[in-house]
Amino acid sequence: MGQAATMPRKTSQRYETIITHIRAAIQDGTYRPGDELPSEAELCQQFDSSRGPVRQAMSLLRTEGLISTGRGRRSTVLTTAATGTFDSILSISEWLVSLGKEPGQRTEWIARRPADEITAQHLKVTEGEKVVSMLRLRLADDEPIAVERIAFPAEIGQHILDFDTDSGSIHRVLLDKGVDFESITRTVSAMLATDEDARLLGIAPGSPLLRLGLVASDKQGHILEFADYRYNAEDLAMHLNSVRGTPTPAWLAPHEGVSDDLPAS
Amino acid sequence: MGQAATMPRKTSQRYETIITHIRAAIQDGTYRPGDELPSEAELCQQFDSSRGPVRQAMSLLRTEGLISTGRGRRSTVLTTAATGTFDSILSISEWLVSLGKEPGQRTEWIARRPADEITAQHLKVTEGEKVVSMLRLRLADDEPIAVERIAFPAEIGQHILDFDTDSGSIHRVLLDKGVDFESITRTVSAMLATDEDARLLGIAPGSPLLRLGLVASDKQGHILEFADYRYNAEDLAMHLNSVRGTPTPAWLAPHEGVSDDLPAS
């Protein structure tokens, strides 16, 4: 059920092994909020590691908001909160599986067609260039959870044109084809349900929606995907942890340019 | 105007110095998206550092979503996006200053009163225990930007009862009093403007709002503050960066328990 079974993994570095063990021990309750972790020296011994990887692991756990660290004292566990893995951010299917729910989908349409202005700007292609776009209702245990609007440049989208998009995760297909998803920027905003959103989600038009815009890139910064997910705000919320001394990879910013425009559907 | 001038800072460690320099070079355009950073060996030389701090700095910049790293290749800049500093997350005043805007506020009321059920649960105090709570309209360049509802346990709130809450940042006052803010958990959701929200923000009731719930704790995990910020969704959005291999300190989760209830106002 975990992501290890379904998504490719890279070889772990030493600090990643340490992080994985400590994160698991926090999540299974071995360490609880307020508990102190073993000292740096003890962790070095436990993981047969030099200080570098242990310190790197502590820095990253601090960045995640899981622990508080400080010179001359032991690290303290702050929260048991789970963090978002890359795959569960990229793929609603992966996210639902991580919640113990059965992912499902009902494709409204999928099309290969010329990019409209907004889609072209987000995908950084020329307006009128062919892209593959899709509208799906996503289900969690057979209940509507999100309206998914997604667009891919043609060379990425071609991989899913002959895939049955009702049958499972398109990101699973794309990863299998070697598409190299490396970074994701999300924009979280609020909006009122349109008639189409409301019909698909089974709620009243004008209900509040939590909206996640998503742009995914490869290592060279090429745009691989532009997506718009709309969730009934009654169903869920986004949670973020921040710890003093560590920048949080999230920021609240006034709207500007086209980044928050609706994709055409 | 930066945060260094107005908020206390801890002594920097070596990797923090490296991060600060590289982040500044990305933000001022010295390095642009797609550019490669100097090699690890070059960075060691440039910062007169061993490999440990350089690697730690690269890990954290990767966690922020600013760069992509990989074995056997140079790190690549992914985005110029700013990240949220702890002070700009804690304090709307600091956040507005970082945007080049003039922060302002208009206090509707401030009260020392018994905690209602919801406030008690969030602050982890007993229902009926005295807390200090407040409703303020926050302004950016004299325009409404957010409705702020905030509650403090009595021992924290006492510091602001004799402060003119129209005159500036209450977090500035609390930090000066030695209140040790260490970690923040935020909940981002969507809602419709209530009549009170609409009146304060100067928008129509039922307009979509982006809502940020905030719980701040000290190093020991004691709750210092519970706040509810509501922004006109037309004005702004939250942005998040995620990079493969690095957990993001944010996760989307179904509502459960009381965590998303409205605080009494």
Side-chain angles (χ1 to χ4, degrees):
Chain A
M1 194 166 98
Q3 105 190 62
T6 53
M7 291 269 169
R9 290 177 75 93
K10 296 182 179 176
T11 311
S12 287
Q13 296 190 341
R14 175 64 53 90
Y15 76 90
E16 290 172 345
T17 307
I18 301 172
I19 286 176
T20 302
H21 276 83
I22 293 178
R23 197 188 294 130
I26 291 173
Q27 284 171 4
D28 73 14
T30 305
Y31 300 119
R32 295 170 176 283
D35 283 359
E36 290 184 339
L37 292 182
S39 69
E40 205 172 276
E42 288 163 348
L43 290 170
C44 289
Q45 192 169 26
Q46 181 180 345
F47 292 101
D48 188 23
S49 168
S50 58
R51 296 214 171 221
V54 166
R55 286 184 181 161
Q56 202 170 359
M58 294 296 117
S59 283
L60 286 168
L61 289 168
R62 182 185 157 95
T63 303
E64 284 183 46
L66 279 180
I67 65 169
S68 142
T69 64
R71 255 180 287 194
R73 65 180 182 84
R74 290 179 181 227
S75 300
T76 307
V77 175
L78 292 173
T79 168
T80 58
T83 54
T85 65
F86 190 80
D87 290 335
S88 70
I89 292 168
L90 182 65
S91 156
I92 285 209
S93 300
E94 287 293 316
W95 171 67
L96 288 172
V97 167
S98 76
L99 292 174
K101 294 183 191 294
E102 179 71 28
Q105 49 272 319
R106 205 177 71 213
T107 305
E108 294 284 307
W109 53 259
I110 176 167
R112 183 164 176 280
R113 62 179 190 184
D116 59 39
E117 185 184 352
I118 302 298
T119 303
Q121 283 171 333
H122 282 283
L123 290 181
K124 293 190 184 162
V125 301
T126 311
E127 194 177 334
E129 200 174 319
K130 287 287 198 312
V131 298
V132 174
S133 50
M134 192 169 59
L135 172 64
R136 291 197 299 181
L137 174 65
R138 303 306 307 263
L139 307 166
D141 289 344
D142 294 326
E143 294 292 323
I145 183 79
V147 179
E148 175 183 58
R149 294 175 177 84
I150 196 162
F152 301 95
E155 68 274 18
I156 308 290
Q158 63 174 343
H159 298 305
I160 55 165
L161 275 179
D162 57 357
F163 170 67
D164 173 6
T165 53
D166 277 354
S167 72
S169 167
I170 52 175
H171 292 101
R172 174 72 264 155
V173 172
L174 295 176
L175 288 163
D176 285 347
K177 293 284 183 184
V179 175
D180 180 27
F181 291 97
E182 170 72 6
S183 78
I184 294 172
T185 298
R186 286 181 292 175
T187 300
V188 188
S189 58
M191 64 177 287
L192 305 182
T194 64
D195 289 346
E196 184 175 59
D197 297 327
R199 173 177 62 80
L200 290 168
L201 291 171
I203 58 178
S207 299
L209 301 182
L210 190 68
R211 180 174 181 219
L212 269 73
L214 184 156
V215 175
S217 313
D218 67 12
K219 285 196 180 64
Q220 285 72 45
H222 303 128
I223 309 292
L224 302 174
E225 168 186 335
F226 161 49
D228 174 336
Y229 293 100
R230 300 180 189 176
Y231 303 86
N232 180 354
E234 302 288 314
D235 288 345
L236 49 70
M238 170 84 78
H239 303 271
L240 292 103
N241 280 341
S242 304
V243 179
R244 174 167 290 284
T246 311
T248 302
W251 64 103
L252 200 61
H255 291 314
E256 52 181 59
V258 301
S259 63
D260 297 293
D261 285 352
L262 300 190
S265 68
Chain B
M1 195 167 100
Q3 108 191 59
T6 51
M7 292 268 171
R9 291 177 74 93
K10 296 181 179 176
T11 311
S12 288
Q13 297 190 341
R14 175 63 54 90
Y15 75 89
E16 291 173 345
T17 308
I18 301 173
I19 286 176
T20 303
H21 276 83
I22 293 179
R23 196 187 295 131
I26 292 173
Q27 285 171 3
D28 73 14
T30 305
Y31 301 118
R32 296 171 176 281
D35 283 359
E36 290 184 339
L37 292 182
S39 69
E40 205 172 274
E42 288 163 350
L43 290 169
C44 288
Q45 191 169 27
Q46 181 179 343
F47 292 101
D48 189 23
S49 168
S50 58
R51 296 217 169 217
V54 166
R55 287 183 180 163
Q56 202 171 357
M58 293 296 117
S59 283
L60 287 168
L61 289 169
R62 182 184 158 95
T63 303
E64 283 182 46
L66 278 180
I67 65 169
S68 141
T69 64
R71 256 181 286 192
R73 64 178 182 85
R74 290 180 180 224
S75 301
T76 307
V77 175
L78 292 173
T79 167
T80 57
T83 54
T85 64
F86 190 80
D87 291 334
S88 70
I89 291 167
L90 182 65
S91 157
I92 285 209
S93 300
E94 286 294 317
W95 171 66
L96 289 171
V97 166
S98 77
L99 292 174
K101 293 183 190 296
E102 179 72 27
Q105 49 272 316
R106 205 176 72 212
T107 305
E108 292 284 307
W109 53 259
I110 175 168
R112 183 165 175 279
R113 62 179 190 181
D116 58 39
E117 187 186 350
I118 303 297
T119 303
Q121 282 171 335
H122 281 282
L123 290 180
K124 293 191 183 162
V125 300
T126 311
E127 194 177 334
E129 201 174 319
K130 287 288 197 312
V131 298
V132 174
S133 49
M134 193 170 58
L135 172 63
R136 292 197 297 182
L137 174 66
R138 303 305 306 264
L139 307 167
D141 290 343
D142 294 326
E143 293 294 322
I145 183 79
V147 178
E148 176 184 58
R149 294 174 177 85
I150 196 163
F152 301 94
E155 69 274 18
I156 308 290
Q158 62 175 345
H159 297 305
I160 57 165
L161 275 177
D162 58 356
F163 170 68
D164 173 5
T165 52
D166 277 355
S167 72
S169 167
I170 52 175
H171 292 101
R172 173 73 264 152
V173 172
L174 294 175
L175 287 163
D176 285 347
K177 293 284 183 183
V179 175
D180 179 27
F181 290 98
E182 171 72 6
S183 77
I184 294 173
T185 299
R186 286 181 292 176
T187 300
V188 188
S189 57
M191 63 177 289
L192 305 182
T194 65
D195 289 347
E196 184 175 58
D197 297 328
R199 173 177 63 81
L200 292 167
L201 291 172
I203 58 179
S207 298
L209 301 182
L210 190 68
R211 181 176 180 216
L212 269 73
L214 185 156
V215 174
S217 313
D218 67 11
K219 285 195 180 65
Q220 285 72 44
H222 303 128
I223 308 292
L224 302 174
E225 169 186 334
F226 161 50
D228 175 337
Y229 293 99
R230 299 179 190 177
Y231 303 85
N232 181 353
E234 302 289 315
D235 288 344
L236 49 70
M238 170 83 80
H239 303 270
L240 292 103
N241 280 342
S242 303
V243 179
R244 173 169 290 284
T246 311
T248 303
W251 64 102
L252 200 62
H255 291 314
E256 52 182 58
V258 301
S259 63
D260 296 294
D261 285 353
L262 298 191
S265 68

